[in-house]
Amino acid sequence: MLVAAAVCPCPPLLVPPVAAGAAPELDGARAACTDALGVLAAARPGLLVVVGPAERSGRGPHPQGAEGSFRGFGVEVDVRLGPERGPVPQGPLPTSLAVAAWLLERTGWSDAPIEGLGVGEPLEPERCIQTGRDIAARAERVALLVMGDASACRTLKAPGYLDERAAPFDAEVARALGAADVAALRALDAGLAYELKASGRACWQVLAGAAEGADLGGSLLYEDAPYGVGYMVATWS
């Protein structure tokens, strides 16, 4: 059963060596992510599952100790998904899960076993929801760390250029995450999310599936679009 969830953005710029001189611009997001992980730890889960956008679904499960890297971004930063637990045959973590691993390392996570799952951005809503149900059934006390960004079309300089639909879409996502509104997340339009380059849509719908019947309350800790991309941090507990 799902007992807690944290929703965090996943831009590599969250990792200060990647952001370099621009690192202070996301200090508020980093602080909110730290607070969100504290909520997960306080829930005392028996299992933490990290889900994040990936090029295709089913990339995983990535076991505890799986390795990731930001070397592709020009920095010699390597990460590991939780404490090492012997040989790890799985391939490298998707970037979203590498960002999650960095956040967990930063807070010294040692509260529960961890595993990661990459979720393909085009995955159909019903399959996302079923994946969430399956995750929630994995243990008596499951926590989710849900990585993903909102639209990338908030400004003229955004990766997806300016789209007038982006701000209303992000506002509804922020409201749903802050209210732990499972129905609203289930109802997100996958086609619109794809057009707006919202990488978190599928992962948020995994959360919706996992949270069915859990009666959790939500809190929105951070919402901004510093680079024309919507970044949100929320907790459910």
Side-chain angles (χ1 to χ4, degrees), residues 6 8 10 31 42 69 75 91 117 122 128-129 138 140 151 191 219 225:
C8 294
C10 58
S69 173
V75 296
L117 180 67
C128 296
I129 291 161
R138 291 276 312 281
E140 190 171 320
S151 73
S219 179

Side-chain angles (χ1 to χ4, degrees), residues 7-8 51 119 128-129 146-151 169-170 173-174 177 182 185-186 188 193 198-210 230 232 236:
V7 177
C8 294
V51 297
V119 181
C128 296
I129 291 161
V146 182
M147 309 299 292
D149 302 336
S151 73
F169 176 88
D170 287 1
V173 171
L177 292 176
V182 170
L185 292 183
R186 286 177 57 110
L188 288 176
S199 70
R201 187 276 309 170
C203 296
W204 301 328
Q205 290 184 321
V206 170
L207 168 60
M232 302 172 192
W236 291 19

Side-chain angles (χ1 to χ4, degrees), residues 70 78 107 175 177:
F70 296 97
D78 299 314
T107 57
R175 187 206 64 77
L177 292 176

Side-chain angles (χ1 to χ4, degrees), residues 53-152:
E55 291 182 3
R56 63 182 185 276
S57 287
R59 289 198 62 183
H62 295 273
Q64 181 166 316
E67 298 176 342
S69 173
F70 296 97
R71 292 175 184 266
F73 298 94
V75 296
E76 295 186 3
V77 177
D78 299 314
V79 292
R80 189 185 300 277
L81 189 64
E84 187 174 4
R85 299 183 69 180
V88 180
Q90 184 71 31
L93 295 170
T95 299
S96 64
L97 298 188
V99 173
W102 180 83
L103 290 171
L104 290 163
E105 284 185 0
R106 184 169 179 258
T107 57
W109 179 272
S110 60
D111 297 88
I114 306 174
E115 66 178 51
L117 180 67
V119 181
E121 292 181 40
L123 192 66
E124 299 88 346
E126 281 305 319
R127 290 186 60 191
C128 296
I129 291 161
Q130 186 58 52
T131 296
R133 292 170 180 152
D134 293 342
I135 290 172
R138 291 276 312 281
E140 190 171 320
R141 297 184 64 80
V142 176
L144 267 177
L145 174 52
V146 182
M147 309 299 292
D149 302 336
S151 73

Side-chain angles (χ1 to χ4, degrees), residues 1-3 210-217:
M1 179 178 179
L2 187 72
V3 295
E212 288 180 347
D215 195 26
L216 301 180

